[in-house]
Coordinates of all heavy atoms in Angstrom, one line a residue:
C1 N 96.0 93.4 121.8 CA 96.4 92.5 120.8 C 95.4 92.3 119.7 O 94.2 92.0 120.0 CB 96.8 91.1 121.4 SG 97.3 89.9 120.2
A2 N 95.8 92.5 118.5 CA 94.8 92.3 117.4 C 95.4 91.4 116.4 O 96.2 91.8 115.6 CB 94.5 93.7 116.7
P3 N 95.0 90.1 116.4 CA 95.6 89.1 115.5 C 95.1 89.4 114.1 O 94.0 89.9 113.9 CB 95.1 87.8 116.0 CG 93.9 88.1 116.8 CD 94.0 89.5 117.3
P4 N 95.9 88.9 113.0 CA 95.4 89.0 111.7 C 94.3 88.0 111.4 O 94.1 87.0 112.2 CB 96.7 88.6 110.9 CG 97.5 87.8 111.8 CD 97.2 88.3 113.2
D5 N 93.7 88.1 110.3 CA 92.6 87.2 109.9 C 93.2 85.9 109.3 O 92.6 84.8 109.4 CB 91.8 87.8 108.8 CG 91.0 89.1 109.3 OD1 90.4 89.0 110.4 OD2 91.1 90.1 108.6
A6 N 94.4 86.0 108.8 CA 95.1 84.8 108.2 C 96.6 85.0 108.3 O 97.1 86.2 108.4 CB 94.7 84.6 106.8
V7 N 97.3 83.9 108.2 CA 98.8 83.9 108.2 C 99.2 83.1 107.0 O 98.8 82.0 106.8 CB 99.4 83.4 109.5 CG1 101.0 83.4 109.4 CG2 98.9 84.2 110.7
V8 N 100.3 83.7 106.3 CA 100.8 82.9 105.1 C 102.3 82.8 105.4 O 102.9 83.7 106.0 CB 100.5 83.5 103.8 CG1 99.0 83.4 103.4 CG2 101.0 85.0 103.7
W9 N 103.0 81.8 104.9 CA 104.4 81.5 105.1 C 105.1 81.4 103.7 O 105.5 80.3 103.3 CB 104.6 80.3 105.9 CG 104.3 80.4 107.3 CD1 105.2 80.8 108.3 CD2 103.1 80.1 108.0 NE1 104.5 80.8 109.5 CE2 103.2 80.4 109.3 CE3 101.8 79.7 107.5 CZ2 102.2 80.2 110.2 CZ3 100.8 79.6 108.4 CH2 101.0 79.8 109.8
P10 N 105.3 82.5 103.0 CA 105.9 82.4 101.7 C 107.4 82.0 101.9 O 108.0 82.3 102.9 CB 105.8 83.8 101.1 CG 105.6 84.7 102.3 CD 104.9 83.9 103.3
Q11 N 107.9 81.4 100.9 CA 109.3 80.9 101.0 C 110.2 81.4 99.9 O 111.4 81.1 99.8 CB 109.4 79.4 101.1 CG 108.7 78.8 102.3 CD 108.7 77.3 102.3 OE1 109.6 76.7 101.8 NE2 107.7 76.8 103.1
A12 N 109.7 82.3 99.0 CA 110.4 82.9 97.9 C 109.8 84.2 97.6 O 108.7 84.5 97.8 CB 110.4 82.0 96.7
V13 N 110.7 85.1 97.0 CA 110.2 86.4 96.6 C 109.0 86.4 95.7 O 108.1 87.2 95.9 CB 111.4 87.2 96.0 CG1 110.9 88.5 95.5 CG2 112.5 87.4 97.0
G14 N 109.0 85.5 94.8 CA 107.9 85.4 93.9 C 106.5 85.1 94.6 O 105.5 85.7 94.2
Q15 N 106.6 84.3 95.6 CA 105.4 84.0 96.4 C 104.9 85.3 97.1 O 103.7 85.6 97.2 CB 105.6 82.9 97.4 CG 105.8 81.6 96.7 CD 106.2 80.5 97.7 OE1 106.8 80.8 98.8 NE2 105.9 79.2 97.3
V16 N 105.8 86.1 97.7 CA 105.5 87.3 98.3 C 104.9 88.3 97.4 O 103.8 88.9 97.7 CB 106.8 88.0 99.0 CG1 106.4 89.3 99.6 CG2 107.3 87.1 100.1
Q17 N 105.4 88.4 96.2 CA 104.9 89.2 95.2 C 103.4 88.9 94.8 O 102.6 89.7 94.7 CB 105.8 89.2 93.9 CG 107.1 89.9 94.1 CD 108.1 89.6 93.0 OE1 108.0 88.6 92.3 NE2 109.0 90.6 92.7
E18 N 103.2 87.6 94.6 CA 101.9 87.1 94.2 C 100.9 87.3 95.3 O 99.7 87.8 95.1 CB 101.9 85.6 93.9 CG 102.6 85.3 92.6 CD 102.6 83.8 92.3 OE1 101.8 83.0 92.8 OE2 103.6 83.3 91.7
L19 N 101.3 87.1 96.6 CA 100.4 87.3 97.7 C 100.1 88.8 97.9 O 98.9 89.2 98.2 CB 101.0 86.7 99.0 CG 101.0 85.2 99.0 CD1 102.0 84.7 100.1 CD2 99.7 84.6 99.3
A20 N 101.1 89.6 97.7 CA 100.9 91.1 97.9 C 100.0 91.6 96.8 O 99.1 92.4 97.1 CB 102.3 91.8 97.9
A21 N 100.1 91.1 95.6 CA 99.3 91.5 94.5 C 97.8 91.2 94.8 O 96.9 92.0 94.5 CB 99.8 91.0 93.2
L22 N 97.6 90.0 95.3 CA 96.2 89.5 95.6 C 95.6 90.4 96.7 O 94.5 90.8 96.6 CB 96.3 88.0 96.0 CG 95.0 87.4 96.4 CD1 94.0 87.4 95.3 CD2 95.2 86.0 96.9
C23 N 96.4 90.6 97.8 CA 95.9 91.5 98.9 C 95.6 92.8 98.4 O 94.6 93.5 98.7 CB 97.0 91.5 100.0 SG 97.0 90.0 101.0
H24 N 96.4 93.4 97.5 CA 96.2 94.7 97.0 C 94.9 94.8 96.1 O 94.1 95.7 96.3 CB 97.4 95.1 96.1 CG 97.2 96.5 95.5 ND1 97.3 97.7 96.2 CD2 97.0 96.8 94.2 CE1 97.1 98.7 95.3 NE2 96.9 98.2 94.1
R25 N 94.8 93.8 95.3 CA 93.5 93.7 94.4 C 92.3 93.6 95.3 O 91.3 94.2 95.0 CB 93.6 92.5 93.5 CG 94.3 92.8 92.2 CD 94.0 91.6 91.2 NE 94.1 90.3 91.6 CZ 95.3 89.6 91.6 NH1 96.4 90.2 91.2 NH2 95.4 88.4 92.1
C26 N 92.3 92.9 96.4 CA 91.2 92.7 97.3 C 91.1 93.7 98.4 O 90.2 93.6 99.2 CB 91.2 91.2 97.8 SG 91.1 90.0 96.6
R27 N 92.0 94.6 98.4 CA 92.1 95.7 99.4 C 92.1 95.1 100.8 O 91.5 95.6 101.8 CB 90.9 96.6 99.3 CG 90.9 97.3 97.9 CD 89.7 98.3 97.7 NE 89.8 99.3 98.7 CZ 90.4 100.6 98.5 NH1 91.1 100.7 97.4 NH2 90.4 101.5 99.4
V28 N 93.0 94.1 101.0 CA 93.2 93.4 102.3 C 94.5 93.9 102.9 O 95.6 93.9 102.2 CB 93.2 91.9 102.1 CG1 93.6 91.2 103.4 CG2 91.9 91.4 101.6
P29 N 94.5 94.4 104.1 CA 95.8 94.8 104.7 C 96.8 93.7 104.8 O 96.5 92.6 105.1 CB 95.3 95.3 106.2 CG 93.9 95.5 106.1 CD 93.4 94.6 105.0
M30 N 98.1 94.1 104.7 CA 99.2 93.2 104.8 C 100.0 93.5 106.0 O 100.3 94.7 106.2 CB 100.1 93.2 103.6 CG 99.4 92.8 102.3 SD 100.4 93.1 100.8 CE 99.9 94.8 100.5
V31 N 100.4 92.5 106.8 CA 101.2 92.8 108.0 C 102.4 91.9 107.9 O 102.4 90.7 108.0 CB 100.4 92.4 109.3 CG1 101.2 92.7 110.5 CG2 99.1 93.2 109.3
P32 N 103.6 92.5 107.7 CA 104.9 91.7 107.6 C 105.3 91.2 108.9 O 105.2 92.0 109.9 CB 105.9 92.7 106.9 CG 105.4 94.0 107.4 CD 103.9 94.0 107.5
F33 N 105.9 90.1 108.9 CA 106.5 89.5 110.2 C 107.8 88.9 109.7 O 107.9 88.1 108.9 CB 105.6 88.5 110.8 CG 106.2 87.8 112.0 CD1 106.1 88.3 113.2 CD2 106.8 86.5 111.8 CE1 106.6 87.7 114.4 CE2 107.4 85.9 112.9 CZ 107.2 86.4 114.2
G34 N 108.9 89.4 110.3 CA 110.3 88.9 110.0 C 110.8 87.8 110.9 O 110.6 86.6 110.8
T35 N 111.5 88.3 111.9 CA 112.2 87.3 112.9 C 111.6 87.3 114.2 O 112.0 86.5 115.0 CB 113.7 87.7 113.0 OG1 113.8 89.0 113.5 CG2 114.4 87.5 111.7
G36 N 110.6 88.1 114.4 CA 109.8 87.9 115.7 C 110.3 88.6 116.9 O 110.0 88.3 118.1
T37 N 111.1 89.7 116.8 CA 111.5 90.4 117.9 C 110.4 91.1 118.6 O 110.3 91.3 119.8 CB 112.6 91.4 117.6 OG1 112.1 92.4 116.7 CG2 113.9 90.7 117.1
G38 N 109.4 91.6 117.7 CA 108.2 92.3 118.2 C 108.5 93.6 118.9 O 107.7 94.2 119.6
L39 N 109.7 94.2 118.7 CA 110.1 95.4 119.4 C 109.3 96.6 118.9 O 109.1 97.6 119.7 CB 111.6 95.7 119.2 CG 112.5 94.6 119.8 CD1 113.9 95.0 119.5 CD2 112.3 94.5 121.3
E40 N 108.8 96.6 117.7 CA 108.1 97.7 117.2 C 106.6 97.5 117.1 O 105.8 98.4 116.8 CB 108.6 98.0 115.7 CG 108.2 97.0 114.7 CD 108.9 95.7 114.8 OE1 110.0 95.6 115.2 OE2 108.3 94.7 114.4
G41 N 106.1 96.3 117.5 CA 104.7 96.0 117.5 C 104.0 96.0 116.2 O 102.8 96.1 116.1
G42 N 104.8 95.6 115.2 CA 104.3 95.6 113.8 C 103.3 94.5 113.5 O 102.6 94.6 112.5
V43 N 103.2 93.5 114.3 CA 102.3 92.4 114.0 C 101.0 92.6 114.5 O 100.0 91.8 114.3 CB 103.0 91.0 114.5 CG1 102.1 89.8 114.1 CG2 104.3 90.8 113.9
N44 N 100.7 93.7 115.2 CA 99.4 94.0 115.7 C 98.5 94.4 114.5 O 98.6 95.5 114.0 CB 99.5 95.2 116.7 CG 98.4 95.2 117.6 OD1 97.6 94.3 117.7 ND2 98.3 96.4 118.3
A45 N 97.6 93.6 114.1 CA 96.8 93.8 112.9 C 95.5 94.5 113.3 O 94.4 93.9 113.3 CB 96.5 92.4 112.3
V46 N 95.6 95.8 113.6 CA 94.5 96.5 114.1 C 93.3 96.6 113.1 O 92.2 96.8 113.5 CB 94.9 97.9 114.5 CG1 95.8 97.9 115.8 CG2 95.5 98.7 113.4
Q47 N 93.6 96.4 111.8 CA 92.5 96.4 110.8 C 92.3 95.0 110.2 O 91.8 94.9 109.1 CB 92.8 97.4 109.7 CG 92.9 98.8 110.2 CD 93.2 99.8 109.1 OE1 93.5 99.5 108.0 NE2 93.2 101.1 109.5
G48 N 92.8 94.0 110.9 CA 92.7 92.6 110.3 C 93.7 92.4 109.2 O 94.7 93.1 109.2
G49 N 93.4 91.6 108.3 CA 94.3 91.4 107.2 C 95.1 90.1 107.2 O 94.8 89.1 108.0
V50 N 96.1 90.0 106.4 CA 97.0 88.9 106.3 C 98.4 89.1 106.7 O 99.0 90.1 106.4 CB 97.1 88.4 104.8 CG1 98.0 87.2 104.6 CG2 95.7 88.1 104.3
C51 N 98.9 88.3 107.7 CA 100.2 88.4 108.2 C 101.1 87.6 107.2 O 100.9 86.4 107.0 CB 100.3 87.8 109.6 SG 102.0 87.8 110.2
F52 N 102.1 88.2 106.7 CA 103.2 87.6 105.9 C 104.3 87.2 106.8 O 105.1 88.0 107.2 CB 103.7 88.5 104.8 CG 102.8 88.8 103.7 CD1 101.5 89.1 103.8 CD2 103.3 88.7 102.4 CE1 100.6 89.4 102.7 CE2 102.4 88.9 101.3 CZ 101.1 89.3 101.5
D53 N 104.3 86.0 107.3 CA 105.4 85.4 108.1 C 106.6 85.1 107.2 O 106.5 84.1 106.6 CB 104.9 84.3 108.9 CG 105.9 83.8 110.0 OD1 107.1 83.9 109.7 OD2 105.5 83.2 111.0
L54 N 107.6 85.9 107.3 CA 108.7 85.7 106.4 C 109.9 85.0 107.1 O 111.0 84.9 106.5 CB 109.3 87.1 106.0 CG 108.1 87.9 105.3 CD1 108.6 89.4 105.0 CD2 107.7 87.3 104.0
S55 N 109.6 84.4 108.2 CA 110.7 83.7 109.0 C 111.3 82.5 108.2 O 112.4 82.1 108.5 CB 110.1 83.2 110.3 OG 109.1 82.3 110.2
R56 N 110.6 81.9 107.3 CA 111.2 80.8 106.5 C 112.0 81.3 105.4 O 112.7 80.4 104.7 CB 110.0 79.9 106.0 CG 109.2 79.3 107.1 CD 108.2 78.3 106.7 NE 107.4 77.8 107.8 CZ 106.3 77.1 107.7 NH1 105.8 76.8 106.5 NH2 105.7 76.7 108.8
M57 N 112.0 82.5 105.1 CA 112.9 83.1 104.1 C 114.2 83.5 104.8 O 114.3 84.7 105.2 CB 112.2 84.3 103.4 CG 111.0 83.9 102.6 SD 110.2 85.3 101.7 CE 111.5 85.8 100.6
D58 N 115.0 82.6 105.1 CA 116.2 82.8 105.9 C 117.5 82.5 105.3 O 118.5 82.1 105.9 CB 116.1 81.9 107.2 CG 116.0 80.5 106.9 OD1 116.0 80.1 105.7 OD2 115.9 79.7 107.9
A59 N 117.6 82.8 104.0 CA 118.9 82.5 103.3 C 119.8 83.7 103.4 O 119.4 84.9 103.4 CB 118.6 82.3 101.8
I60 N 121.1 83.5 103.4 CA 122.1 84.5 103.3 C 122.6 84.5 101.9 O 123.3 83.5 101.5 CB 123.2 84.3 104.4 CG1 122.6 84.3 105.8 CG2 124.4 85.3 104.2 CD1 123.6 84.0 106.8
A61 N 122.2 85.5 101.1 CA 122.4 85.4 99.7 C 123.8 85.8 99.2 O 124.4 85.2 98.3 CB 121.4 86.3 99.0
E62 N 124.4 86.8 99.8 CA 125.7 87.3 99.4 C 126.5 87.9 100.5 O 125.9 88.6 101.3 CB 125.5 88.3 98.2 CG 126.8 88.8 97.6 CD 126.5 89.8 96.5 OE1 125.3 89.8 96.0 OE2 127.4 90.4 96.1
L63 N 127.8 87.7 100.6 CA 128.7 88.3 101.6 C 129.8 88.9 100.8 O 130.5 88.2 100.0 CB 129.1 87.3 102.6 CG 130.2 87.7 103.5 CD1 129.8 88.8 104.4 CD2 130.7 86.5 104.4
S64 N 130.1 90.2 101.1 CA 131.2 90.9 100.5 C 132.1 91.4 101.6 O 131.8 92.3 102.3 CB 130.8 92.0 99.6 OG 131.9 92.8 99.2
L65 N 133.2 90.7 101.8 CA 134.2 91.0 102.9 C 134.8 92.4 102.6 O 135.2 93.1 103.5 CB 135.2 90.0 103.1 CG 134.7 88.6 103.6 CD1 135.8 87.6 103.6 CD2 134.0 88.7 104.9
E66 N 135.0 92.7 101.2 CA 135.7 93.9 100.8 C 134.9 95.2 101.3 O 135.6 96.2 101.6 CB 135.9 93.9 99.3 CG 136.8 92.9 98.8 CD 136.2 91.5 98.7 OE1 135.0 91.4 98.5 OE2 136.9 90.5 98.9
D67 N 133.6 95.2 101.2 CA 132.9 96.4 101.5 C 132.0 96.1 102.8 O 131.1 97.0 103.0 CB 132.1 96.9 100.3 CG 131.0 96.0 99.9 OD1 130.8 94.9 100.4 OD2 130.4 96.3 98.8
F68 N 132.2 95.1 103.5 CA 131.5 94.8 104.7 C 130.0 94.8 104.6 O 129.2 95.3 105.3 CB 131.9 95.8 105.8 CG 133.4 95.9 106.1 CD1 134.1 97.0 105.6 CD2 134.0 94.9 106.7 CE1 135.4 97.1 105.8 CE2 135.4 95.0 107.0 CZ 136.1 96.1 106.5
S69 N 129.5 94.2 103.5 CA 128.1 94.1 103.3 C 127.6 92.6 103.1 O 128.4 91.8 102.6 CB 127.7 94.9 102.0 OG 128.2 94.4 100.8
V70 N 126.4 92.5 103.5 CA 125.8 91.1 103.3 C 124.4 91.3 102.9 O 123.7 92.2 103.4 CB 125.9 90.3 104.6 CG1 125.2 90.9 105.8 CG2 125.4 88.9 104.4
T71 N 123.9 90.5 102.0 CA 122.5 90.5 101.5 C 121.8 89.3 102.1 O 122.3 88.2 101.9 CB 122.5 90.4 100.0 OG1 123.2 91.5 99.5 CG2 121.0 90.5 99.5
V72 N 120.7 89.5 102.9 CA 120.0 88.5 103.5 C 118.5 88.6 103.2 O 118.0 89.6 102.8 CB 120.2 88.5 105.1 CG1 121.7 88.4 105.4 CG2 119.7 89.8 105.6
E73 N 117.8 87.5 103.4 CA 116.4 87.5 103.3 C 115.8 87.9 104.7 O 116.5 87.9 105.7 CB 115.9 86.1 103.0 CG 116.2 85.7 101.5 CD 115.6 84.4 101.1 OE1 115.2 83.5 102.0 OE2 115.5 84.1 99.9
P74 N 114.5 88.3 104.8 CA 114.0 88.9 106.0 C 113.9 88.1 107.2 O 113.8 88.5 108.4 CB 112.6 89.4 105.6 CG 112.3 88.7 104.3 CD 113.6 88.3 103.7
G75 N 114.0 86.7 107.0 CA 113.9 85.8 108.2 C 115.2 85.4 108.8 O 115.3 84.7 109.7
V76 N 116.3 86.0 108.3 CA 117.7 85.8 108.9 C 117.7 86.5 110.2 O 117.6 87.7 110.4 CB 118.8 86.2 108.0 CG1 120.2 86.1 108.6 CG2 118.8 85.4 106.7
T77 N 118.1 85.7 111.3 CA 118.3 86.3 112.6 C 119.7 86.8 112.8 O 120.6 86.3 112.1 CB 118.0 85.2 113.7 OG1 119.0 84.2 113.6 CG2 116.6 84.7 113.6
R78 N 119.9 87.6 113.8 CA 121.3 88.1 114.1 C 122.2 86.9 114.4 O 123.3 86.9 114.0 CB 121.2 89.1 115.2 CG 122.5 89.7 115.6 CD 122.4 90.6 116.8 NE 121.7 90.0 117.9 CZ 122.2 89.1 118.8 NH1 123.5 88.9 118.7 NH2 121.5 88.7 119.8
K79 N 121.6 86.0 115.2 CA 122.4 84.9 115.6 C 122.9 84.0 114.4 O 124.0 83.5 114.4 CB 121.7 84.0 116.7 CG 121.6 84.7 118.0 CD 120.9 83.8 119.0 CE 120.9 84.5 120.4 NZ 120.2 83.6 121.4
A80 N 122.0 83.8 113.5 CA 122.3 83.0 112.3 C 123.3 83.7 111.5 O 124.2 83.1 110.9 CB 121.0 82.7 111.5
L81 N 123.1 85.0 111.3 CA 124.1 85.8 110.5 C 125.5 85.7 111.2 O 126.5 85.5 110.5 CB 123.6 87.2 110.4 CG 124.6 88.2 109.7 CD1 124.9 87.6 108.3 CD2 124.0 89.6 109.6
N82 N 125.5 85.9 112.5 CA 126.9 85.8 113.2 C 127.5 84.5 113.1 O 128.7 84.4 113.0 CB 126.7 86.3 114.6 CG 126.7 87.8 114.7 OD1 127.3 88.5 113.9 ND2 126.0 88.3 115.7
K83 N 126.7 83.4 113.1 CA 127.3 82.1 112.9 C 127.9 82.0 111.5 O 128.9 81.4 111.3 CB 126.1 81.1 113.1 CG 126.7 79.6 112.9 CD 125.5 78.6 113.2 CE 126.1 77.2 113.1 NZ 125.0 76.2 113.4
H84 N 127.2 82.5 110.5 CA 127.7 82.5 109.1 C 129.0 83.4 109.0 O 129.8 83.0 108.2 CB 126.6 83.1 108.2 CG 127.0 83.1 106.7 ND1 126.9 81.9 106.0 CD2 127.5 84.0 105.9 CE1 127.3 82.2 104.8 NE2 127.7 83.4 104.7
L85 N 129.1 84.4 109.7 CA 130.2 85.3 109.7 C 131.4 84.9 110.4 O 132.5 85.3 110.3 CB 129.8 86.7 110.2 CG 128.8 87.5 109.3 CD1 128.4 88.8 110.0 CD2 129.3 87.8 107.9
R86 N 131.2 83.8 111.3 CA 132.3 83.3 112.2 C 133.5 83.0 111.3 O 133.4 82.4 110.3 CB 131.8 82.1 113.0 CG 132.8 81.7 114.0 CD 132.3 80.6 114.8 NE 131.1 80.9 115.6 CZ 130.0 80.2 115.8 NH1 130.0 78.9 115.3 NH2 129.0 80.6 116.5
G87 N 134.6 83.4 111.8 CA 135.9 83.1 111.1 C 136.2 84.2 110.0 O 137.3 84.1 109.4
T88 N 135.3 85.2 109.8 CA 135.7 86.2 108.8 C 136.2 87.5 109.4 O 136.7 88.3 108.8 CB 134.4 86.6 108.0 OG1 133.5 87.3 108.9 CG2 133.7 85.5 107.3
G89 N 136.1 87.6 110.8 CA 136.5 88.8 111.5 C 135.4 89.8 111.6 O 135.6 90.9 112.1
L90 N 134.2 89.5 111.0 CA 133.1 90.4 111.1 C 132.1 89.9 112.0 O 132.0 88.7 112.3 CB 132.5 90.5 109.7 CG 133.4 91.1 108.5 CD1 132.7 91.1 107.2 CD2 133.9 92.4 108.9
W91 N 131.2 90.7 112.5 CA 130.1 90.3 113.3 C 129.0 91.4 113.2 O 129.3 92.6 112.8 CB 130.4 90.0 114.7 CG 130.9 91.2 115.5 CD1 132.0 92.0 115.3 CD2 130.2 91.8 116.6 NE1 132.1 93.0 116.2 CE2 131.0 92.9 117.0 CE3 129.1 91.6 117.3 CZ2 130.6 93.8 118.0 CZ3 128.7 92.4 118.3 CH2 129.5 93.5 118.7
F92 N 127.8 91.1 113.5 CA 126.6 92.0 113.4 C 126.1 92.2 114.8 O 125.4 91.3 115.4 CB 125.5 91.3 112.5 CG 124.4 92.3 112.1 CD1 124.6 93.2 111.1 CD2 123.2 92.3 112.8 CE1 123.6 94.1 110.8 CE2 122.2 93.1 112.5 CZ 122.4 94.0 111.5
P93 N 126.4 93.3 115.4 CA 126.0 93.5 116.9 C 124.6 93.8 117.0 O 123.9 94.3 116.1 CB 126.9 94.7 117.2 CG 127.2 95.5 116.0 CD 127.2 94.4 114.9
V94 N 124.1 93.7 118.3 CA 122.8 94.1 118.6 C 122.6 95.6 118.4 O 123.5 96.4 118.7 CB 122.5 93.7 120.1 CG1 121.1 94.3 120.5 CG2 122.5 92.3 120.3
G95 N 121.5 96.0 117.9 CA 121.2 97.5 117.7 C 121.8 98.1 116.4 O 121.6 99.2 116.2
T96 N 122.3 97.3 115.6 CA 122.8 97.8 114.3 C 121.6 98.0 113.4 O 120.8 97.2 113.2 CB 123.8 96.8 113.7 OG1 124.9 96.6 114.5 CG2 124.3 97.3 112.3
V97 N 121.6 99.1 112.7 CA 120.6 99.5 111.8 C 121.0 99.2 110.4 O 122.1 99.5 110.0 CB 120.2 101.0 111.9 CG1 119.1 101.4 110.9 CG2 119.8 101.4 113.3
G98 N 120.2 98.4 109.7 CA 120.5 98.1 108.3 C 120.4 99.2 107.4 O 119.7 100.2 107.7
M99 N 121.0 99.1 106.3 CA 121.0 100.2 105.2 C 120.2 99.7 104.1 O 120.2 98.7 103.7 CB 122.4 100.5 104.8 CG 123.3 101.0 105.9 SD 123.1 102.7 106.1 CE 124.7 103.3 106.4

């Protein structure tokens, strides 16, 4: 386990952009964190850096029933999405790969 040097909790795209620009200028590694499944081991900050915890960015921005698409922020969980979809006839199963 290699924890990051710092963790930030941006709540809007603009904040992510500003933080990413700062890390880039200072040559600090960025480690994204979405919903916390940890299946891919992406939060392991082997070179230190800043963890961008995106779990508070959990808005469901747009749903199109006609083309079966939904636009979500990175902190939206599968359970929250399925709760939002309840009553539409759609659902997001485990193991679905986003496009």
Side-chain angles (χ1 to χ4, degrees):
C1 180
D5 298 311
V7 179
V8 294
W9 287 269
Q11 296 180 24
V13 173
Q15 292 174 334
V16 174
Q17 292 169 330
E18 289 178 28
L19 291 163
L22 178 62
C23 286
H24 177 73
R25 275 194 310 274
C26 297
R27 302 181 60 88
V28 173
M30 296 171 272
V31 182
F33 176 84
T35 59
T37 62
L39 297 176
E40 71 290 330
V43 182
N44 200 15
V46 294
Q47 296 179 357
V50 177
C51 176
F52 285 49
D53 185 331
L54 305 171
S55 62
R56 295 182 183 172
M57 294 179 65
D58 59 357
I60 298 172
E62 185 178 345
L63 170 62
S64 174
L65 298 176
E66 295 77 32
D67 63 4
F68 305 107
S69 67
V70 61
T71 303
V72 300
E73 290 183 342
V76 173
T77 64
R78 179 184 54 81
K79 288 182 180 182
L81 178 57
N82 282 329
K83 183 176 179 181
H84 182 81
L85 294 174
R86 189 176 296 140
T88 67
L90 301 176
W91 67 294
F92 191 80
V94 175
T96 300
V97 177
M99 302 271 219

